Amino acid sequence: MGVESPFHIHINDLDARQKAKIKELRKRLEEDLKRYPEYDTDHSLLRWLIGWDYDIETIVPKAQWALSVFDNLGFNDYHVKSLDDIDEYALARSPAAPYFPGGLLGYDKDGDVLYCQPLSKADPRSLMKADSVAQAYRLELAMIEGAFKLVRRQEAKTGRKCGMKIIMDLEGFSYSEHVYLPSVSEYQKVLALVQQVFPEFLRKLYVVNPPTAMAAVYNIVKPVLAKQTREKIEILGSDWKEVLVNACGAENLYQQWGGVKPAATPYGNVRLGGKVPEKVMYSPQSNPFDDEGRMKSVNIAARGKAEFRFQADKGDTIRWLFRVSSGDVDFSIKHKEKEVYPTFRISTEFVPEFGSMVCRKTGEYVLLFENLHGKLWSKDVTYRVEVQETKECSAL
């Protein structure tokens, strides 16, 4: 491998090998980049090369899948001009969004996007009852891709490669209260997904106010952290405010984290989570599509799958709702062998999975429930899927 590209490298300082690899990767991804054209920048492609050791054969299918996720989730129509746009996007899509603690602070002194997550402000037990698992995935991807959109604009102006710095504040963390196994499992899946579609975007992760059980907490997430991610984690001691100010600039931090950035409260615009109110939690009565009398069921064998094929016209809407008897299944929708709704690993212990998708093309669609990762146990799925046509609704 050649010389590693550091953060903030200028596009004019790339060496000949890096330029050649970027050109090769762009050529291999030519059709995929047409699906999500704003990703077609030298620095965006360089991230994939660095993240996967310049191994083009390994990178291509992974990058193709990431680009299809962005396209299929409608991020081409997700326009971000400011930090407020990112929050507004999330808040408009889930009543539970205000209870996911965190927020973007802006840019730091190096031009990186700065994100703060006071994780211990979350109430994991009530969050698990608030919205579907896939919605949490979509919101997390939207937040990071929103930040990435701002970074790409910054890179276009400056020519310098930038990324994201995260401050994870664990003040008040309680192992018994916050290490709730169902939420830990979903958090691990989110971390794995984010690393899969955003390689080499993390610049640094600062952990402040670590609990006495920090080693045990770290061991929970360590198995899903890539080596490059682990190398960017820094657990800070009692001088953490001084370290953050030196690394990020006092003018870019709210008072709670040692800065002087103007705000009405010490936390600024960072969401503080809290317990989700009962009225926000999911209930079947709040969703007319959640009708037990119209549900069907299918048993999916271990290492098996179930698929449903149906015709739909451009402009039709596919709607779904399902529950898994135990564990989780992989759910996706395809059109002519290409994913049009990305594969997410879904559990429904607390909230059924539900959603909808407008068909972009006429033709045969395949809805997939997969249990390929299940080595021993079959799983029962109760489901309702309908195609909303122009004049009527046809059930599958």
Side-chain angles (χ1 to χ4, degrees):
M1 182 175 171
V3 178
E4 184 74 354
S5 173
F7 265 87
H8 309 127
I9 187 172
H10 196 280
I11 201 69
N12 294 335
D13 295 329
L14 298 178
D15 61 33
R17 179 174 179 270
Q18 290 168 328
K19 291 177 181 178
K21 285 289 187 178
I22 290 172
K23 183 178 180 180
E24 180 183 355
L25 183 57
R26 177 174 280 117
K27 181 63 177 177
R28 294 286 298 274
L29 295 175
E30 184 176 5
E31 292 303 313
D32 303 280
L33 289 169
K34 290 179 182 178
R35 297 181 66 181
Y36 200 67
E38 68 178 274
Y39 208 92
D40 190 3
T41 72
D42 287 354
H43 281 320
S44 294
L45 298 175
L46 182 61
R47 287 185 177 88
W48 281 96
L49 292 167
I50 296 173
W52 294 98
D53 202 24
Y54 292 82
D55 184 348
I56 297 288
E57 296 306 318
T58 297
I59 292 168
V60 167
K62 294 179 181 295
Q64 286 175 327
W65 188 76
L67 290 166
S68 74
V69 169
F70 300 148
D71 177 34
N72 294 335
L73 292 183
F75 288 172
N76 276 310
D77 299 319
Y78 173 24
H79 303 297
V80 176
K81 295 182 180 179
S82 69
L83 299 175
D84 291 341
D85 293 337
I86 299 172
D87 271 342
E88 289 176 7
Y89 183 94
L91 295 173
R93 280 157 180 78
S94 173
Y99 303 95
F100 286 90
L104 289 160
L105 281 63
Y107 300 102
D108 73 359
K109 66 179 186 179
D110 296 321
D112 297 317
V113 170
L114 191 58
Y115 177 72
C116 185
Q117 186 175 48
L119 190 62
S120 55
K121 303 295 184 183
D123 183 76
R125 286 170 173 79
S126 62
L127 272 177
M128 293 298 295
K129 300 176 183 179
D131 211 337
S132 70
V133 167
Q135 183 67 302
Y137 295 165
R138 290 191 292 266
L139 289 176
E140 186 68 16
L141 291 174
M143 189 281 296
I144 299 179
E145 176 56 12
F148 205 162
K149 287 173 181 283
L150 292 176
V151 164
R152 285 194 291 266
R153 290 177 62 189
Q154 178 116 320
E155 290 173 337
K157 292 178 182 178
T158 67
R160 296 169 62 246
K161 177 174 172 284
C162 298
M164 173 183 278
K165 289 177 183 172
I166 298 176
I167 301 169
M168 182 173 288
D169 191 345
L170 298 181
E171 182 182 26
F173 187 92
S174 165
Y175 195 91
S176 60
E177 181 180 346
H178 293 101
V179 180
Y180 179 52
L181 291 182
S183 63
V184 167
S185 175
E186 298 310 323
Y187 191 63
Q188 289 175 324
K189 292 175 186 176
V190 168
L191 287 176
L193 177 63
V194 166
Q195 293 174 104
Q196 187 176 356
V197 297
F198 297 108
E200 193 57 17
F201 188 48
L202 178 65
R203 175 76 174 89
K204 197 78 172 180
L205 193 160
Y206 299 103
V207 178
V208 304
N209 295 311
T212 54
M214 185 63 209
V217 173
Y218 180 67
N219 284 335
I220 291 173
V221 298
K222 184 178 178 180
V224 298
L225 296 179
K227 179 177 181 291
Q228 287 186 336
T229 301
R230 295 197 299 268
E231 292 172 346
K232 295 171 183 175
I233 297 175
E234 187 173 346
I235 300 174
L236 303 184
S238 58
D239 63 342
W240 62 269
K241 288 187 178 181
E242 180 181 347
V243 173
L244 290 182
V245 167
N246 289 335
C248 305
E251 70 278 10
N252 304 306
L253 298 166
Y254 293 119
Q255 181 184 340
Q256 180 67 20
W257 296 284
V260 295
K261 185 170 183 170
T265 74
Y267 293 91
N269 63 353
V270 175
R271 296 185 302 276
L272 297 180
K275 186 175 182 178
V276 180
E278 192 75 28
K279 64 181 180 181
V280 176
M281 293 183 187
Y282 179 85
S283 69
Q285 292 73 27
S286 67
N287 185 354
F289 199 69
D290 193 352
D291 184 348
E292 185 176 351
R294 304 183 70 173
M295 303 284 279
K296 298 181 180 181
S297 62
V298 62
N299 179 266
I300 307 174
R303 302 181 188 274
K305 64 181 179 180
E307 61 179 44
F308 304 92
R309 296 178 179 270
F310 52 93
Q311 294 290 321
D313 293 328
K314 180 179 179 180
D316 289 350
T317 298
I318 302 171
R319 298 184 65 191
W320 62 85
L321 184 146
F322 67 86
R323 291 179 172 88
V324 186
S325 58
S326 62
D328 49 33
V329 295
D330 291 341
F331 173 74
S332 64
I333 301 175
K334 294 184 178 182
H335 177 268
K336 293 185 177 180
E337 304 305 318
K338 289 187 177 182
E339 283 191 358
V340 291
Y341 183 82
T343 301
F344 288 139
R345 185 156 293 178
I346 302 297
S347 63
T348 60
E349 182 178 356
F350 300 100
V351 177
E353 185 56 43
F354 59 95
S356 63
M357 183 195 77
V358 176
C359 299
R360 298 183 186 180
K361 298 179 180 180
T362 296
E364 183 182 67
Y365 286 80
V366 181
L367 187 146
L368 283 168
F369 294 113
E370 296 180 287
N371 188 27
L372 302 179
H373 59 291
K375 298 180 181 179
L376 296 175
W377 310 110
S378 66
K379 294 166 185 175
D380 292 317
V381 176
T382 57
Y383 66 94
R384 180 184 178 187
V385 180
E386 294 183 355
V387 178
Q388 184 70 55
E389 301 173 348
T390 304
K391 295 183 180 179
E392 62 182 356
C393 188
S394 59
L396 306 178

